[in-house]
Amino acid sequence: MKEQQTVNNGKMWIIIGIAIAVIGLLFTIAMSVVSSQNIDRLKTQCENSGKTAEVVEKGFILTTSYEFTCKK
């Protein structure tokens, strides 16, 4: 009986791991969309005031950050 229970526990951990990976991927995609929308909004505000928007992307995949400046 213990062998069958061990196999079921292994499957449970695999399912939990896959669920965590899917949630992480969805969270990454959602944050990317939100960042993109914020950058677009800031660019529009900057260009409406007659200035030039400059966006610099820093980092790599999970550590990506954006530096936004509005220049005359």
Side-chain angles (χ1 to χ4, degrees), residues 11-40:
K11 288 180 184 177
M12 178 189 68
W13 282 111
I14 289 172
I15 291 171
I16 289 172
I18 291 170
I20 290 171
V22 168
I23 290 169
L25 180 63
L26 292 174
F27 183 73
T28 302
I29 292 169
M31 292 306 293
S32 175
V33 169
V34 168
S35 293
S36 177
Q37 289 175 345
N38 284 341
I39 289 171
D40 289 343

Side-chain angles (χ1 to χ4, degrees), residues 28 56-66:
T28 302
V56 178
E57 183 178 334
K58 296 181 180 180
F60 180 72
I61 301 175
L62 295 177
T63 60
T64 303
S65 63
Y66 299 94

